[in-house]
Amino acid sequence: MIGKLNHVAIVVPDLAAASAVYRDTLGGDVSDPHDLPEHGVTTVFVNLPNTKIELLHPFGDDSPIAKFLQSNPSGGMHHICYEVDNIIAARDKLLADGARVLGSGEPKIGAHGKPVLFLHPKDFCGTLVELEQV
Ligand code: CO
């Protein structure tokens, strides 16, 4: 069911500092920041040959990642995103297997304009998993 690793998301307390680490220290191909008010985040992409790293910083007052940053003031890995061909079929299989889908269970349009779902970390080895239909 799962296909390519689409991205690994890392929440950071300082986007400019994190961009500098990825650009200057690690030599990565780092994008400019993009504000996504509807998602409550500002993102920077690090484009790697085989996947992406998504640096996330809270945008606005009720950012879904604000709490994460409070608990992890230095930042940290937030989620991993796997590609699926059919997100509804994937969801239905996961639910049938007893996995928990976060929120309403209906896919939302994610940060890349494609349908996404998030899966409960306790069902997936302690890792928040995002599925994205590509
Ligand atoms: Co993501």
Side-chain angles (χ1 to χ4, degrees):
M1 180 171 75
I2 57 170
K4 288 182 179 168
L5 175 65
N6 186 277
H7 60 271
V8 175
I10 300 173
V11 172
V12 301
D14 181 335
L15 260 187
S19 297
V21 165
Y22 270 87
R23 184 190 305 110
D24 304 331
T25 308
L26 292 173
D29 171 15
V30 175
S31 80
D32 290 329
H34 300 280
D35 293 335
L36 298 169
E38 68 276 22
H39 292 285
V41 295
T42 302
T43 61
V44 164
F45 289 105
V46 184
N47 295 300
L48 305 178
N50 61 340
T51 190
K52 297 185 281 282
I53 305 297
E54 199 172 287
L55 304 175
L56 297 176
H57 186 75
F59 180 97
D61 291 334
D62 353 288
S63 172
I65 58 171
K67 216 174 246 170
F68 181 91
L69 206 48
Q70 277 163 21
S71 313
N72 304 272
S74 315
M77 206 200 86
H78 186 261
H79 65 266
I80 56 179
C81 177
Y82 299 117
E83 298 180 358
V84 294
D85 290 330
N86 182 328
I87 202 160
I88 298 297
R91 176 199 62 191
D92 291 347
K93 184 209 184 301
L94 290 162
L95 291 173
D97 288 352
R100 285 165 286 183
V101 175
L102 300 186
S104 69
E106 292 306 315
K108 288 190 177 166
I109 298 303
H112 314 128
K114 301 196 172 142
V116 302
L117 283 173
F118 284 91
L119 310 178
H120 201 296
K122 288 198 173 141
D123 296 335
F124 295 95
C125 312
T127 305
L128 178 60
V129 172
E130 179 181 18
L131 298 180
E132 181 173 296
Q133 179 171 295
V134 292

